[in-house]
Amino acid sequence: VVPEYAVAKIDAAAPLDKVCLFGCGFSTGYGAVINTAKVKPGSTCAVFGLGGIGLSVVMGCKAAGASRIIAVDINKDKFAKAKELGATDCINPRDFQKPIQEVLTEMTGQGVDYSFEAIGHADTMIAALASCNMSTGVCVMVGVLDSGSEISIDPTLLLIGRTWKGTALGGWKTRECIPKLVSGYLEKKFNSDLLITHTLPFAKVNEGFELLRAGK
């Protein structure tokens, strides 16, 4: 049983085994770019974490017309998919001796225009904030920290003008927007099917979690 306001009527032609991704993952990452950050054409973006949500952020950055999309993950197996979806650069923090925010600042000269954290770790949230331009950069917190976690940051990261924002479900008003996203999918405005790596019966849900934890 769900509350009536939590139900949205979508196009009957939509394949439920594909558009189920709009219940959270795709909508969250794509909307973080389009609605929360409002990424401008020609801008530079960094995406921390290339799971389903991070890859959806990459798709959103490409759709928004970003000129450079830098994907960051410690699992290099994610890089091919990230590039297929629009990433221009893929970097592994373990390949560098210095903090990843310094690497991104050197790559871009000033820091990125927009950064997105789609992992849910305090250290990567601070790195994402520090990697965007010190006076005009916008960092969006998409990942969810463990319950009860706290973050302590150097206030000078925000003092000069960075903006730090959070997003839930990508800022969509679900009753209106989920049906529109489904229609956009049916019109082939984006291909969220590329996020699907495995399809398992419900009886194998635990195998699904094992694949998730293994980064596959």
Side-chain angles (χ1 to χ4, degrees):
V1 178
V2 294
E4 183 262 350
Y5 62 76
V7 179
K9 184 173 171 57
I10 62 168
D11 192 317
L16 296 179
D17 62 333
K18 305 284 197 297
V19 299
C20 55
L21 293 173
F22 298 169
C24 174
F26 175 77
S27 307
T28 298
Y30 196 79
V33 178
I34 306 298
N35 301 325
T36 310
K38 296 182 170 60
V39 166
K40 294 187 175 80
S43 56
T44 303
C45 301
V47 185
F48 286 72
L50 299 174
I53 291 180
L55 290 171
S56 300
V57 171
V58 171
M59 292 170 80
C61 292
K62 186 171 188 207
S67 62
R68 195 169 184 192
I69 304 167
I70 306 168
V72 182
D73 203 299
I74 56 173
N75 180 355
K76 63 182 185 300
D77 295 343
K78 304 275 189 182
F79 292 168
K81 181 66 66 76
K83 288 200 163 167
E84 185 182 356
L85 293 173
T88 55
D89 308 75
C90 292
I91 57 175
N92 182 342
R94 290 179 174 166
D95 291 342
F96 301 92
Q97 299 297 313
K98 59 182 78 169
I100 194 65
Q101 55 265 43
E102 291 180 22
V103 175
L104 287 162
T105 302
E106 284 175 13
M107 285 174 72
T108 55
Q110 312 276 333
V112 296
D113 299 309
Y114 303 93
S115 62
F116 301 85
E117 201 276 2
I119 304 165
H121 291 318
D123 55 350
T124 43
M125 285 188 180
I126 293 166
L129 179 63
S131 67
C132 65
N133 184 295
M134 67 168 68
S135 41
T136 58
V138 176
C139 175
V140 181
M141 191 189 295
V142 195
V144 179
L145 281 165
D146 289 342
S147 180
S149 299
E150 293 186 356
I151 300 179
S152 63
I153 66 157
D154 177 348
T156 55
L157 280 174
L158 293 166
L159 199 63
I160 305 169
R162 286 185 180 94
T163 304
W164 204 9
K165 305 176 89 168
T167 188
L169 199 71
W172 301 106
K173 196 168 181 188
T174 50
R175 281 294 283 274
E176 297 164 18
C177 296
I178 296 292
K180 288 178 184 169
L181 283 166
V182 170
S183 298
Y185 167 84
L186 291 170
E187 290 160 16
K188 296 190 164 44
K189 288 184 178 172
F190 41 77
N191 187 4
S192 52
D193 291 359
L194 292 169
L195 300 173
I196 300 170
T197 56
H198 299 75
T199 302
L200 300 171
F202 196 71
K204 293 189 176 179
V205 63
N206 288 330
E207 287 181 30
F209 280 112
E210 290 307 317
L211 288 163
L212 181 72
R213 291 186 191 106
K216 294 177 180 171

